[in-house]
Amino acid sequence: MLSIIVLGTAAGGGVPQWNCGCDNCRAARTSHAELRATQASIAVSADRAHWFLINASPDLRQQLTQTPTLHPRALRHSPIAGVILSNGEVDAIAGLLNLREGTAFNLYGHQRVLDLLADNSIFNVLKPALVPRIAITHDAAFEPRLPDGTPSGLEILPFIAPGKAALFVEETSANEAGDTLGFVIRDRASGESLVFLAACAALTPEVETYLRGAKLVFFDGTLFTDDEMIRLGLSAKTGQRMGHMAMSAAIPALDGLGIERKIFLHINNSNPALLPGSPERQAVEQAGWQIPADGMEITL
Ligand code: MLT
Ligand code: MN
Ligand code: ZN
């Protein structure tokens, strides 16, 4: 059995974002508290006792408080056995700082992302003796381990996602394969699996091979249209430039791949599909996609 908890659904900044007065952020602060969302992350488990986080969002502390399954069951304990990083953006790594305080877990990431952690000494608060950093490579499946070395029962296949280096190193680092990964996450016992692809700049034939026939896909839902941030006056960048394929392009592109359940993740606060009843939300739902809420649980 593969258990999934959607800890957070929003893109960097969350909903509402601290400095944003867009329609969605204003509604989330006032009349529509249900729009509030923390930054994207999921937890997965093969046994419901030991969990692996896919990315550690800056909102991790709040996410853990809100998720009883991930609460300690002893004076010093955590069901979190490890963290697997898909990229080095702030919204994927900053939550690691919440996991200090001396509990062991395994930290997996591409060497490109581990190099970013090494370059930022604040992450040394996670002592290597307790939190080993383990390099993963694309197209090499691995079984994440519990801190004592026990196999987790999960198998993770990382693959290259079209993307870019993290925003905070854009000026100093060229983009390289491995900056952004997708994951096929499988329960070894049942064979059930999902595809996690919360940042994807384009749908290449190679990426298609991982998505085709999948039972469950979490896909990049940052923007509804590529020029959304520009039109709203929020940014000068397109979604493509930020490493994100818009929903309006993803919906037709993933249609016909035989995917059973499609869920958008990493949804920016500017995205009009967040608002129930909006034409964009209707388009998303009519195309068979889901906009999730924080705390959603799925079992495969
Ligand atoms: C992104 O997904 O594009 C990044 O999270 C941007 C950011 O760090 O604000
Ligand atoms: Mn992000
Ligand atoms: Zn906003």
Side-chain angles (χ1 to χ4, degrees):
M1 194 170 78
L2 182 59
S3 300
I4 303 127
I5 305 175
V6 179
L7 296 174
T9 56
V15 189
Q17 176 178 307
W18 75 284
N19 62 347
C20 191
C22 80
D23 288 349
N24 285 342
C25 286
R26 280 191 296 116
R29 282 187 198 97
T30 54
S31 54
H32 289 279
E34 73 280 5
L35 289 180
R36 291 179 194 171
T38 63
Q39 292 161 83
S41 168
I42 66 170
V44 293
S45 175
D47 60 9
R48 295 198 63 83
H50 308 94
W51 293 80
F52 289 82
L53 307 182
I54 310 300
N55 296 333
S57 110
D59 301 317
L60 182 57
R61 183 178 168 280
Q62 178 187 344
Q63 293 167 343
L64 296 184
T65 302
Q66 288 168 354
T67 310
T69 309
L70 299 180
H71 291 176
R73 287 189 296 275
L75 184 58
R76 271 286 187 273
H77 167 265
S78 172
I80 297 172
V83 178
I84 300 157
L85 300 172
S86 68
N87 64 75
E89 296 282 10
V90 171
D91 59 355
I93 64 172
L96 289 172
L97 300 176
N98 288 303
L99 299 178
R100 64 195 188 282
E101 320 293 4
T103 289
F105 65 93
N106 288 323
L107 177 56
Y108 299 88
H110 192 278
Q111 192 59 51
R112 292 276 296 166
V113 174
L114 297 187
D115 288 347
L116 282 183
L117 300 182
D119 285 348
N120 288 275
S121 60
I122 195 169
F123 291 103
N124 293 343
V125 73
L126 300 172
K127 304 251 178 314
L130 281 177
V131 185
R133 299 177 187 183
I134 303 156
I136 58 177
T137 47
H138 60 92
D139 300 311
F142 68 99
E143 178 165 12
R145 304 248 160 193
L146 311 188
D148 68 1
T150 311
S152 62
L154 294 169
E155 183 188 80
I156 307 213
L157 174 64
F159 60 91
I160 299 290
K164 62 167 197 63
L167 180 60
F168 66 95
V169 291
E170 264 187 7
E171 326 253 281
T172 51
S173 177
N175 299 340
E176 267 185 35
D179 287 330
T180 309
L181 295 174
F183 298 123
V184 181
I185 302 172
R186 196 168 69 88
D187 170 42
R188 290 170 65 98
S190 66
E192 294 290 358
S193 67
L194 67 87
V195 181
F196 179 93
L197 194 49
C200 184
L203 193 66
T204 58
E206 210 199 350
V207 169
E208 260 188 45
T209 63
Y210 297 100
L211 294 172
R212 199 175 289 282
K215 193 156 190 179
L216 171 63
V217 172
F218 289 98
F219 195 81
D220 191 334
T222 311
L223 304 178
F224 188 80
T225 39
D226 194 46
D227 64 351
E228 176 178 309
M229 304 274 289
I230 301 170
R231 273 188 298 105
L232 291 170
L234 297 173
S235 165
K237 292 181 191 168
T238 61
Q240 284 284 305
R241 166 66 186 79
M242 295 187 291
H244 301 296
M245 186 173 176
M247 286 181 174
S248 57
I251 290 171
L254 272 71
D255 197 32
L257 294 184
I259 303 167
E260 235 173 83
R261 188 169 178 188
K262 294 174 276 197
I263 301 178
F264 281 121
L265 201 69
H266 190 272
I267 305 168
N268 196 52
N269 55 73
S270 61
N271 191 324
L274 277 177
L275 211 57
S278 67
E280 294 83 0
R281 176 63 159 262
Q282 284 172 6
V284 163
E285 289 177 347
Q286 275 164 17
W289 285 78
Q290 246 183 304
I291 304 282
D294 289 11
M296 181 168 102
E297 297 202 21
I298 300 171
T299 304
L300 294 181

